[in-house]
């Protein structure tokens, strides 16, 4: 059934303007990061790592969480129109497949944004004079762990967007959660909050490589949160009137 549900989610995006946002926010992040790096090279002397901290700070801490919230709210927007939730839930498709299709779609969108950001980061770095031969070896890990944390946040935002009819409220909650996640990270409690896992995984505030044991811990905690939020969303769809 998932094979039928996923194409339906992609159909919603075909003529939307969401793709503009998906490309624009990474561009803005890299432009701001490259600008800060170029004007402060006397202080930022760690090459690609310094550039990553500058571009990643805007992208990973604020833009990406908000972008995820927008994507998830958009994926639920049509269902909140009229009685579309009731129509969808009475269709011959398992409730779990509806949720997994939305999460899969959100995961593919965030993967696309991650790849765009990294490509722009590399292009921007070469334009400000950095050598490709000195690219950080941690880049692949930042990309993958950041994407996994993005899926975790997507499961959280889908739970909100399925419950709340308003488009703006889940996005506002996502922005507030991004600030809270930053505070949790600073307080050394990042593993206990989904948005902090994005900071840890992408290394935007600490670009050094994570020890293997900590990398495994980050993956396990992300999978736990994904399972918990997904179970909550599916249970809600099975037992409550989502359109009420």
């Amino acid at each position: 059934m998932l094979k039928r549900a996923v194409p339906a989610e992609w159909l919603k995006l075909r003529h939307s303007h969401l793709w503009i946002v998906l490309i624009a926010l990474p561009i803005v992040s890299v432009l701001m990061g490259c600008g800060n790096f170029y004007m402060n090279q006397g202080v930022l002397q760690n090459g690609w790592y310094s550039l990553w901290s500058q571009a990643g700070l805007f992208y990973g801490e604020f833009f990406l969480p908000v972008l995820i919230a927008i994507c998830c709210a958009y994926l639920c927007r049509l269902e909140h129109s009229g009685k579309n939730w009731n129509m969808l839930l009475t269709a011959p498709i398992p409730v779990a497949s509806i949720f997994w299709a939305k999460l899969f779609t959100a995961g593919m969108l965030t993967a696309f944004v991650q790849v765009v950001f990294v490509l722009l980061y590399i292009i921007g770095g070469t334009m400000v004079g950095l050598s490709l031969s000195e690219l950080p070896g941690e880049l692949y890990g930042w990309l993958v762990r950041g994407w996994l944390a993005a899926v975790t946040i997507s499961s959280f935002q889908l739970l909100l967007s399925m419950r709340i009819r308003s488009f703006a409220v889940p996005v506002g909650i996502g922005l507030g959660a991004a600030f809270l996640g930053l505070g949790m990270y600073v307080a050394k409690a990042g593993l206990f909050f989904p948005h902090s896992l994005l900071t840890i995984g992408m290394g935007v505030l600490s670009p050094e490589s994570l020890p293997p044991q900590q990398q495994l811990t980050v993956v396990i905690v992300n999978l736990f949160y994904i399972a918990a939020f997904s179970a909550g969303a599916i249970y809600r769809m099975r037992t409550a009137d989502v359109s009420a």
Side-chain angles (χ1 to χ4, degrees), residues 13 46 72 82 91 101 111 115 130 147 152 169 195 197 200 204-206:
L13 306 174
N46 202 15
C72 292
V115 172
L130 300 179
W147 173 76
T152 299
V169 172
H195 290 67
L197 294 171
I200 297 172
V204 293
L205 296 180
S206 300

Side-chain angles (χ1 to χ4, degrees), residues 52-65:
W52 181 262
S53 67
Q54 295 302 299
L57 178 63
F58 297 108
Y59 173 76
E61 288 298 328
F62 306 110
F63 290 158
L64 183 56

Side-chain angles (χ1 to χ4, degrees), residues 1-20:
M1 291 295 182
L2 193 59
K3 292 182 179 180
R4 295 173 55 189
V6 171
E9 296 298 329
W10 283 108
L11 281 175
K12 301 175 187 177
L13 306 174
R14 180 176 296 178
H15 300 295
S16 73
H17 299 294
L18 187 62
W19 297 103
I20 299 175

Side-chain angles (χ1 to χ4, degrees), residues 89 91 93-100 162 233-238:
L89 294 178
I93 301 176
V95 168
S97 295
I98 297 172
F99 175 81
W100 291 122
M162 287 179 167
I234 293 170
Y235 177 80
R236 171 72 188 176
M237 294 171 70
R238 285 175 174 165

Side-chain angles (χ1 to χ4, degrees), residues 53-149:
S53 67
Q54 295 302 299
L57 178 63
F58 297 108
Y59 173 76
E61 288 298 328
F62 306 110
F63 290 158
L64 183 56
V66 172
L67 180 59
I68 294 170
I70 292 173
C71 288
C72 292
Y74 191 89
L75 288 172
C76 297
R77 181 181 64 90
L78 181 62
E79 283 80 356
H80 284 308
S81 301
K83 298 295 182 180
N84 287 339
W85 267 122
N86 289 338
M87 293 174 61
L88 182 61
L89 294 178
T90 55
I93 301 176
V95 168
S97 295
I98 297 172
F99 175 81
W100 291 122
K102 292 183 181 297
L103 185 60
F104 177 84
T105 303
M108 292 300 98
L109 293 175
T110 53
F112 170 77
V113 175
Q114 283 284 88
V115 172
V116 170
F117 174 73
V118 169
L119 290 177
L120 291 173
Y121 162 75
I122 295 173
I123 294 172
T126 58
M127 292 181 67
V128 296
L130 300 179
S131 173
L132 286 175
S133 62
E134 298 175 353
L135 271 173
E138 296 86 354
L139 187 58
Y140 179 76
W142 293 335
L143 177 66
V144 174
R145 289 193 302 270
W147 173 76
L148 182 59

Side-chain angles (χ1 to χ4, degrees), residues 179-193 196:
F179 284 102
L180 180 58
L182 179 59
M184 294 285 284
Y185 176 85
V186 173
K188 308 297 183 183
L191 287 176
F192 299 101
F193 197 72
S196 304

